[in-house]
Amino acid sequence: MSADRRGTHAVKLAFEPDTIDLAIEQLVPLKVLRPGAKESKKYAQIRGSIKAIGLVEAPVVARNLDDAAKFFLLDGHMRIEALKDLGIQRVECLVSTDDETYTYNKRINRLAAVQEHSMIKRAIARGVPEAAIAEALGLNIETIFRRTRLLNGICPEAVEVLKDTSAPMAVFDILRRMGPIRQVEAAELMAGQNNYSVQFAKALLAATPDAALAVPRRKPPKRDGQVSTEQMAKMERELASLQTQVKSFEETYGVDTLHLTVARGYIRKLLANPKVVSWLGQHRGEYLGEFRSLTDSDGEGTDRTIG
């Protein structure tokens, strides 16, 4: 990261902004597929998916600084092998700005439910039968129908929040039972907590007032000890407030910790001087006690016998 004279910072992108069309023969694999990989169910699924609906996730490459015509293949080795088997000679690739595969794997998520929904819808729009898609993905056709309906009843703002997340299909079924405004609130709460589990979505649904539901719930007779909707809503408000406080602390935590570390080091250096300790003991005994508490809190304080 670099800074210009105005103090602004240039952020390094993980990938070049545009994909690049390459011949497969230009790619230099960085690993060899394990024996039997082409006989695996996963490979058959990848090959069938490419054959039926095309390549969904672009392979990732890095430029070879010693040979501009060659590119190192960082991710997508099985996809490339499948393309070769299908006689496809060129492929669109993402170009990483870092040639370390572990860095790439940290920055990229697997295909999200919303992305998979879009992929299936595009394939159907191109005339690919649902049965062929199901066969290619190793799913039954009812699952394909369900995934094409994934976003029915979900407002665009909630989709935008969840489009790149790991939220499973069942979460969208739960959101569908809420009104649009409540869908956005629930999606933002899940994103804020980084919790996209079905259990958390169910808890948010239980805390949703009837007025914020798509269809008001039937009210069963309340049993002793059962948490009411109002109580759940109160807990949710407290969770949202806590989330706001946590974000506020996150913004300053690093700087505050650095300042405290520097201050402790300075105080420890002062207390290593017997004259300073002696003067503080005579004139500011209360300060000396506090300073010693600060420097001793990590087990590395000065010897209390000094002075």
Side-chain angles (χ1 to χ4, degrees):
M1 183 178 292
S2 60
D4 62 20
R5 293 180 180 177
R6 295 170 294 179
T8 58
H9 294 276
V11 178
K12 181 181 178 181
L13 298 177
F15 302 99
E16 294 183 7
D18 300 317
T19 58
I20 184 170
D21 180 69
L22 296 173
I24 288 179
E25 63 185 18
Q26 292 179 261
L27 305 181
V28 180
L30 294 184
K31 65 179 181 181
V32 179
L33 293 183
R34 59 177 176 78
K38 286 193 174 184
E39 286 72 44
S40 67
K41 182 178 179 181
K42 180 180 179 181
Y43 181 80
Q45 184 177 356
I46 291 174
R47 188 179 186 279
S49 173
I50 294 173
K51 184 177 181 180
I53 58 180
L55 190 64
V56 175
E57 191 175 358
V60 178
V61 299
R63 295 185 182 277
N64 183 347
L65 300 181
D66 297 325
D67 185 351
K70 296 293 183 180
F71 292 77
F72 295 117
L73 179 61
L74 304 182
D75 183 82
H77 292 75
M78 292 187 77
R79 277 166 276 162
I80 293 300
E81 288 300 318
L83 290 171
K84 290 179 181 177
D85 286 352
L86 293 170
I88 300 172
Q89 299 178 354
R90 302 192 70 83
V91 62
E92 287 283 331
C93 296
L94 279 172
V95 182
S96 173
T97 57
D98 192 329
D99 63 358
E100 297 185 49
T101 56
Y102 76 90
T103 304
Y104 162 75
N105 288 330
K106 281 183 179 179
R107 291 170 177 164
I108 290 297
N109 296 321
R110 298 297 99 188
L111 198 62
V114 174
Q115 296 169 345
E116 186 179 51
H117 160 82
S118 301
M119 172 195 79
I120 293 172
K121 294 282 283 186
R122 285 197 302 270
I124 292 173
R126 286 179 3 218
V128 180
E130 287 87 346
I133 298 173
E135 181 180 358
L137 297 179
L139 303 170
N140 63 58
I141 196 165
E142 288 301 323
T143 302
I144 296 299
F145 288 144
R146 184 183 170 203
R147 295 189 182 190
T148 60
R149 299 190 297 266
L150 179 74
L151 302 183
N152 289 359
I154 307 295
C155 70
E157 293 82 2
V159 173
E160 183 66 23
V161 174
L162 298 175
K163 66 179 182 179
D164 296 321
T165 70
S166 58
M169 284 197 301
V171 164
F172 294 89
D173 294 335
I174 295 169
L175 289 177
R176 201 173 290 113
R177 297 166 64 182
M178 307 176 189
I181 295 176
R182 179 58 178 168
Q183 287 178 9
V184 177
E185 291 176 350
E188 289 178 343
L189 276 169
M190 286 188 283
Q193 295 296 313
N194 194 28
N195 185 346
Y196 304 100
S197 67
V198 174
Q199 290 79 4
F200 189 40
K202 286 181 177 178
L204 293 175
L205 177 64
T208 302
D210 280 357
L213 292 174
V215 178
R217 62 171 67 87
R218 295 179 182 178
K219 295 185 178 179
K222 184 178 178 182
R223 297 187 296 272
D224 291 340
Q226 184 178 5
V227 179
S228 67
T229 301
E230 291 74 17
Q231 290 171 318
M232 290 292 292
K234 181 181 178 182
M235 285 190 287
E236 182 191 331
R237 289 195 297 271
E238 291 174 350
L239 174 64
S241 175
L242 179 61
Q243 179 180 321
T244 301
Q245 293 177 38
V246 169
K247 286 183 177 179
S248 175
F249 291 141
E250 286 178 346
E251 291 175 357
T252 61
Y253 177 79
V255 175
D256 290 345
T257 300
L258 176 61
H259 289 168
L260 288 172
T261 301
V262 172
R264 174 181 287 178
Y266 179 70
I267 292 172
R268 183 179 292 122
K269 189 173 181 180
L270 286 178
L271 296 185
N273 187 327
K275 293 183 179 179
V276 172
V277 173
S278 177
W279 187 91
L280 287 173
Q282 294 176 25
H283 302 282
R284 292 289 187 269
E286 69 280 13
Y287 289 178
L288 180 59
E290 291 297 327
F291 287 164
R292 280 175 165 166
S293 297
L294 286 171
T295 57
D296 286 353
S297 61
D298 60 356
E300 299 178 358
T302 58
D303 188 346
R304 291 182 180 273
T305 61
I306 296 177

